Amino acid sequence: MDTLGLFLAVVLAGLSLLLGVIGILASSRYEDRRILFISGAFLALGVVGALAVFSDLSPEYGGPFGVESIPLFVMVVAVGLLYVAMVRSGPSPVGKPHG
């Protein structure tokens, strides 16, 4: 993996895991399951990023976990879109429908 790929993997892992934890804490406060599902997506993408970093740092053991730069870029963009979705569509008040 090149330097850009390693940078994208680190950004993906760090940002996804951080936002996943924040989302879990927010879902417990606001009691909204949608935030919990988005947090699960963040955590899954964080694991992919962490495995990609592991692949680059330990080529002998991490070879099967390698991810190329273009899929990493797409995943970083997906994390950004999930973040925007989580921030823009906050939980609706209890008993009041969305819309």
Side-chain angles (χ1 to χ4, degrees), residues 1 7 12 14 18 26-27 43 46-47 53 58-59 63 76 86 88-89 99:
M1 186 183 315
F7 173 74
L12 179 67
L18 177 69
S27 71
L43 293 176
V47 168
V53 171
S58 176
V76 168
M86 188 166 85
R88 290 199 46 122
S89 65

Side-chain angles (χ1 to χ4, degrees), residues 68-87:
E68 295 297 320
S69 297
I70 293 175
L72 281 172
F73 178 74
V74 170
M75 285 185 259
V76 168
V77 170
V79 167
L81 291 174
L82 283 170
Y83 173 73
V84 169
M86 188 166 85
V87 170

Side-chain angles (χ1 to χ4, degrees), residues 20-83:
V21 170
I22 291 171
I24 288 173
L25 294 174
S27 71
S28 66
R29 179 175 178 189
Y30 293 111
E31 298 175 0
D32 191 356
R33 284 213 171 292
R34 293 174 296 171
I35 297 174
L36 187 62
F37 291 135
I38 291 174
S39 301
F42 279 135
L43 293 176
L45 287 170
V47 168
V48 170
L51 289 175
V53 171
F54 174 68
S55 167
D56 194 49
L57 296 179
S58 176
E60 183 178 340
Y61 299 109
F65 302 115
V67 181
E68 295 297 320
S69 297
I70 293 175
L72 281 172
F73 178 74
V74 170
M75 285 185 259
V76 168
V77 170
V79 167
L81 291 174
L82 283 170
Y83 173 73

